[in-house]
Amino acid sequence: MATSDNENFFERVYVVVRQIPYGRVTSYGAIAKYLGAARSARMVGWAMNAAHNLDDVPAHRVVNRLGVLTGKHHFDGTNLMQQLLESEGVEVVDNQIVKFKELLWDPMKEL
DNA sequence: ATTCTGACGTGGG
DNA sequence: CCCCACGCCAGAA
């Protein structure tokens, strides 16, 4: 894309996050890597912060590489993120996703 | 323009 | 196992 590829880094993240299947989760690093910014995993998380206003972006399905709901603190409630995940059939114990490895949806692998 | 921070990740002690 | 420091890049003060 000659020049249209200059989409905001955020939007790129959104596109990937929006494709996360129901009941699945992914990590910031995985998304960053898919975007070619593996060294900027933080930016993914930062992008989510902006996505906070978008309903199209299920940020609750994005966790850190350990499967921990690190960003739950940013959600409206304290356990909103966990509730959303559990409502999708994702077990969460101690802010950590159970079987995270099995539920992990890697964009590079799936796409 | 400069400085700090941040929902990460990796590595080292 | 826990704690600390560095890298990375973008946005806000």
Side-chain angles (χ1 to χ4, degrees):
Chain A
M1 308 97 110
T3 56
S4 45
D5 193 35
N6 292 328
E7 290 284 326
N8 293 336
F9 189 85
F10 298 156
E11 190 157 329
R12 288 215 196 157
V13 177
Y14 305 152
V15 172
V16 178
V17 175
R18 275 192 282 245
Q19 293 176 77
I20 300 175
Y22 178 93
R24 289 287 205 112
V25 294
T26 190
S27 61
Y28 304 99
I31 296 171
K33 201 169 184 181
Y34 175 74
L35 296 176
R39 294 152 182 155
S40 310
R42 299 172 133 201
M43 300 302 86
V44 178
W46 198 246
M48 301 269 74
N49 192 13
H52 191 282
N53 281 314
L54 307 175
D55 294 342
D56 294 49
V57 183
H60 63 273
R61 291 186 189 147
V62 185
V63 295
N64 73 349
R65 75 171 181 96
L66 301 177
V68 180
L69 285 54
T70 48
K72 65 173 276 174
H73 189 63
H74 289 254
F75 278 74
D76 194 20
T78 313
N79 50 341
L80 176 61
M81 188 175 185
Q82 181 172 333
Q83 284 181 34
L84 288 169
L85 287 169
E86 291 184 324
S87 85
E88 295 187 1
V90 179
E91 284 182 272
V92 178
V93 177
D94 190 36
N95 298 332
Q96 185 171 1
I97 296 175
V98 183
K99 298 179 179 175
F100 169 67
K101 196 165 109 189
E102 298 176 33
L103 296 171
L104 177 61
W105 180 81
D106 190 335
M108 294 190 46
K109 215 165 157 189
E110 305 292 339
L111 302 180

